[in-house]
Amino acid sequence: MALFGNAVLLTALLQGLNRADEAFPPPIERATETSREVVDADGRLLRAFATSEGLWRLRTTSEDVDPQFVRMLLAYEDQRFYDHRGIDPLALLRAAGQFVGNGRIVSGASTLSMQVARLIEPRDGRSLLAKVRQMARAVQIERRLGKAEILDLYLTHAPYGGNLEGVRAASLSYFGKEPKRLSVAEAALLVALPQLPERRRPDRFPKVAGAARERVLTRMAVSTVIGEGEAERAAAEAVPRRRLQLPALAPHLSELALRREPSRQRHETTIRRDVQQALEAVARSAAARLGPKLSVAMVMADARTGAIVGEVGSADYFDASRSGWIDMTRQIRSPGSALKPFIYGLAFEEGLVAQETIVEDRPADFFGYRPRNFDMSYQGDVSVRQALQLSLNVPAVRLLDAVGPTRLSVRLRRADVRLALPATEAPGLAIALGGAGITLRDLVQLYAALANQGAVIRLGNGVERPPEVVAGDPLIDAAAAWNVTDTLSAVLPPRGSRRLGIAYKTGTSYGYRDAWSVGYDGRHVLGVWVGRADNAAVPGLTGYESAAPILFEAFAKSGIATTPMPKAPPGAVRIAQSELPVGLRRFARTASGLVAATTREPAPQIVYPPEGAHVELGARGGSAVSPLALKLQGGRAPFRWLANGRMLPESSRRRTTQWVPDGAGYSTLTVIDAVGRAASVRVFVE
């Protein structure tokens, strides 16, 4: 009967404990807030933000730390962690015996579970009642969480002095690295600090911290973990005496990520941390050289995927004199001459000019608009290649007058770039010299198309991964993009910079307010802006002298290996001036506005493909045959094309079209203009 009564009493007690456990659960939810993190494409920390309590508490799991640290922690703090259910009876008996024998507390009996209970529900004092409550909470936590989860809570919340909590925050602050790979000395110090975090802070009390570390190293259980002789070597290492700042890279992009999803704890980006660090260092040093109040912004992108791999919004985010908090990659400014390559690209595509076509660089009047060169001098007759390389203004305006500023503006919209113009004002010839607004990001997006053989690639925002394939028409055709790249690749680097195998262009806005330089290789494109955030003039500020050296330095220090330029596509060729068709030897315009080689309207001439050309289109490979670009000069629109006597589907007013041959071999191509004049060439398709 007594046995039955005891069973009933035990059952009632257990039910009561279960109900008490359910009624007063441990406040595990308090442990959910951690510092919000912004990480790079490989998951490496770019920037962390303090919690609402002002704590640096980075979420940490056992996978984030060195396995040897975990073994040392358990050997020192809780050897039977995986065997007990929150309370270690053997440790309690040992601690009680030591207290009785010595009359004072020699060692504690706290398990990691009990320490987690104290961390998520801090006690006011060290009373016996507080200890009992901590033990009860440890049992409750063990009922709800697995051992791995409890260990992760400790690794995240362990105190390390000041406002540092967790192993990751401590490792980054004291050692400047993630805790994935720790030396024995570093691991021992991180094991020792949480017991008395304020008294053992290595940045304030290095001797005390060193002594605590030595106690960890000499503990028998720890010695078994680290091996014979390791303790002596680790004890000889110096204790770090200063606290480092946590990573604070890509501040503008990090704040953008938080604004987009403020409740999210971990924000992934497409940034590459090594590239970002290099670009920020170059921007800071360049701004210091350039002088006060000047800032530097950069955007580096993968031209094949559109991913932003590095982005610098200002030279120094915390420099108020440079208005560092303003993200200059997204501010609309005048690009100067930086849009000229796209004018030339359209002219190449239309067959108006070739690289060696002669164009006049002389004073000209375009219905009242009189552009002048930057140095106020003129070169006379120059080739189109030279005009673009020297960034001459008058030839660029002549070509824009031919292709049309509205058409250029419409083309740029293919890349989702809309030039900023005054309200109700249509695009004009001044666009060639910077008479429109654009952001650095949009300018980089345009140049990414050049690096991508004319195909449009839309840049991501740095936070979300952009689509790798963008459907739609190209910005310019591949042959025209190759001609622009081939021309810009031969531009000499600025003084003091070494050749890097990149094509680049500079720009200077009116009044010396903005200096630009954008360069690219076969894979990456980098844009640089230099100026003042308040748009004030800076005498002597130019793209070539101020921005281009930064471009070359940043490209060289980014750590990204230069990718060779792609091979010339079908239809792309550089022909000597003496071998050009008559209609392409000199660029001029008739009074009626037609492009011509002389003052009279010439007969049509096929400028590509040239007579007798062998063109590789994949016709022998059995796969899909590539189209062949057909270009003509002169004549009167509309034009009708024939291939081997058969008429192509539609007539066109454009001087470019495409033809897909039936197979390999010789073909005869003919064009007939509106007044019946014709021209033919014979080509061999391979």
Side-chain angles (χ1 to χ4, degrees):
M1 190 69 180
L3 182 62
F4 176 75
N6 289 335
V8 172
L9 183 62
L10 180 60
T11 302
L13 178 61
L14 291 175
Q15 289 179 346
L17 290 174
N18 281 331
R19 290 177 181 175
D21 177 59
E22 294 172 359
F24 303 99
I28 297 175
E29 69 281 353
R30 294 183 187 177
T32 58
E33 186 186 7
T34 55
S35 294
R36 289 174 292 178
E37 300 177 38
V38 180
V39 300
D40 79 344
D42 297 319
R44 296 178 296 177
L45 184 65
L46 291 173
R47 190 180 182 189
F49 293 83
T51 67
S52 59
E53 303 168 279
L55 300 173
W56 295 110
R57 182 193 293 148
L58 304 179
R59 184 178 181 275
T60 311
T61 69
S62 57
E63 295 180 354
D64 299 323
V65 301
D66 194 315
Q68 181 165 254
F69 166 80
V70 175
R71 292 193 294 269
M72 291 173 65
L73 173 68
L74 296 180
Y76 190 77
E77 291 284 0
D78 194 349
Q79 297 180 40
R80 285 173 290 278
F81 174 67
Y82 290 105
D83 299 324
H84 63 67
R85 300 301 298 168
I87 302 172
D88 186 351
L90 295 178
L92 284 174
L93 291 174
R94 184 201 69 234
Q98 289 174 338
F99 178 76
V100 172
N102 295 275
R104 60 184 178 86
I105 296 176
V106 176
S107 65
S110 291
T111 62
L112 282 183
S113 303
M114 292 169 63
Q115 294 183 49
V116 167
R118 175 171 54 84
L119 292 173
I120 66 176
E121 191 178 24
R123 63 178 185 267
D124 296 330
R126 299 175 63 87
S127 66
L128 180 60
L129 180 61
K131 197 70 174 179
V132 171
R133 181 178 180 182
Q134 186 183 120
M135 294 167 65
R137 287 301 196 197
V139 174
Q140 289 182 295
I141 290 171
E142 289 271 355
R143 295 186 66 182
R144 288 165 171 79
L145 302 177
K147 291 291 186 180
E149 294 174 297
I150 295 171
L151 180 58
D152 291 347
L153 281 177
Y154 178 84
L155 296 175
T156 300
H157 291 267
Y160 281 93
N163 61 348
L164 293 179
E165 286 194 2
V167 175
R168 281 186 65 210
S171 181
L172 288 166
S173 297
Y174 293 133
F175 311 134
K177 66 179 184 180
E178 292 280 354
K180 192 70 174 178
R181 301 179 72 88
L182 297 171
S183 68
V184 172
E186 291 168 343
L189 183 62
L190 294 181
V191 169
L193 294 183
Q195 296 167 25
L196 293 170
E198 289 302 325
R199 296 182 187 178
R200 295 177 177 178
R201 282 182 59 169
D203 58 329
R204 293 185 178 179
F205 311 107
K207 291 184 179 180
V208 177
R213 181 184 69 180
E214 189 170 355
R215 283 194 291 273
V216 172
L217 292 169
T218 56
R219 177 73 67 86
M220 182 63 68
V222 176
S223 298
T224 303
V225 170
I226 63 179
E228 186 177 354
E230 282 295 326
E232 291 80 2
R233 286 190 287 270
E237 289 189 22
V239 173
R241 292 174 174 266
R242 64 189 182 99
R243 174 175 161 178
L244 307 173
Q245 288 187 342
L246 292 181
L249 298 170
H252 298 91
L253 185 63
S254 296
E255 292 196 344
L256 171 65
L258 261 64
R259 287 196 300 270
R260 289 173 60 87
E261 296 183 86
S263 61
R264 190 169 183 173
Q265 290 297 110
R266 180 183 169 92
H267 300 265
E268 297 178 350
T269 70
T270 60
I271 297 293
R272 291 170 56 179
R273 190 175 71 177
D274 295 342
V275 174
Q276 185 68 26
Q277 282 180 311
L279 297 189
E280 290 190 16
V282 170
R284 281 194 300 271
S285 62
R289 292 194 304 268
L290 290 168
K293 298 186 178 181
L294 279 166
S295 192
V296 176
M298 285 187 265
V299 174
M300 192 172 198
D302 187 322
R304 296 181 188 173
T305 66
I308 301 293
V309 298
E311 181 175 299
V312 181
S314 65
D316 188 342
Y317 181 83
F318 298 102
D319 189 343
S321 68
R322 303 180 195 273
S323 301
W325 62 87
I326 299 177
D327 185 355
M328 296 307 301
T329 68
R330 290 173 167 80
Q331 302 302 310
I332 296 175
R333 307 299 280 261
S334 166
S337 299
L339 291 178
K340 285 179 181 176
F342 306 98
I343 298 171
Y344 284 82
L346 275 179
F348 286 133
E349 182 182 293
E350 286 296 305
L352 301 180
V353 295
Q355 287 192 41
E356 299 302 329
T357 299
I358 298 300
V359 62
E360 291 185 1
D361 179 37
R362 294 183 176 86
D365 188 331
F366 298 87
F367 303 100
Y369 179 54
R370 301 180 178 87
R372 294 178 294 183
N373 285 327
F374 186 78
D375 59 3
M376 307 301 291
S377 65
Y378 298 91
Q379 303 292 320
D381 283 354
V382 294
S383 68
V384 165
R385 181 180 176 86
Q386 292 171 322
L388 177 54
Q389 290 175 344
L390 297 174
S391 195
L392 301 177
N393 288 343
V394 176
V397 175
R398 290 187 188 278
L399 292 179
L400 182 59
D401 188 37
V403 301
T406 299
R407 188 171 182 198
L408 173 66
S409 181
V410 170
R411 267 308 173 92
L412 299 186
R413 291 180 190 172
R414 289 187 180 180
D416 201 25
V417 173
R418 288 168 171 76
L419 298 178
L421 296 166
T424 71
E425 186 172 313
L429 296 179
I431 290 177
L433 311 183
I438 194 171
T439 67
L440 178 60
R441 288 176 53 84
D442 282 349
L443 195 60
V444 169
Q445 182 158 295
L446 292 177
Y447 276 81
L450 293 179
N452 211 32
Q453 295 184 288
V456 171
I457 188 75
R458 291 184 176 86
L459 302 188
N461 58 13
V463 178
E464 299 172 337
R465 295 188 179 276
E468 294 191 10
V469 178
V470 178
D473 296 327
L475 181 61
I476 53 177
D477 68 33
W482 179 87
N483 275 293
V484 172
T485 298
D486 185 57
T487 301
L488 295 180
S489 297
V491 178
L492 293 176
R495 288 184 296 273
S497 301
R498 63 183 179 87
R499 286 184 177 273
L500 297 176
I502 65 173
Y504 81 105
K505 182 70 181 72
T506 61
T508 306
S509 68
Y510 178 78
Y512 303 98
R513 288 176 168 81
D514 308 275
W516 307 78
S517 187
V518 188
Y520 57 95
D521 61 9
R523 181 66 186 262
H524 292 92
V525 56
L526 172 63
V528 176
W529 170 89
V530 180
R532 287 181 51 157
D534 60 5
N535 203 29
V538 183
L541 183 75
T542 67
Y544 185 77
E545 296 289 342
S546 305
I550 300 174
L551 172 78
F552 275 75
E553 182 184 3
F555 235 119
K557 293 183 176 180
S558 67
I560 295 177
T562 302
T563 303
M565 297 294 185
K567 295 180 180 179
V573 62
R574 193 199 313 171
I575 304 174
Q577 204 272 340
S578 60
E579 298 178 2
L580 288 173
V582 174
L584 273 180
R585 292 180 183 175
R586 173 177 289 273
F587 176 81
R589 289 179 67 83
T590 65
S592 64
L594 295 172
V595 179
T598 65
T599 56
R600 297 179 58 190
E601 181 185 274
Q605 286 186 314
I606 299 175
V607 296
Y608 190 85
E611 174 65 32
H614 284 238
V615 185
E616 176 62 51
L617 299 176
R620 294 183 182 276
S623 57
V625 180
S626 300
L628 175 64
L630 308 178
K631 300 181 181 181
L632 66 90
Q633 175 77 39
R636 181 180 298 177
F639 306 102
R640 176 70 70 176
W641 286 88
L642 296 88
N644 299 318
R646 281 192 281 178
M647 202 162 290
L648 298 190
E650 297 180 358
S651 61
S652 173
R653 303 191 66 85
R654 298 184 59 185
R655 287 178 165 77
T656 63
T657 189
Q658 289 186 332
W659 165 64
V660 180
D662 296 330
Y666 279 102
S667 292
T668 300
L669 301 172
T670 303
V671 65
I672 305 173
D673 75 352
V675 294
R677 294 174 295 184
S680 297
V681 295
R682 185 172 170 81
V683 298
F684 187 83
V685 176
E686 299 179 352

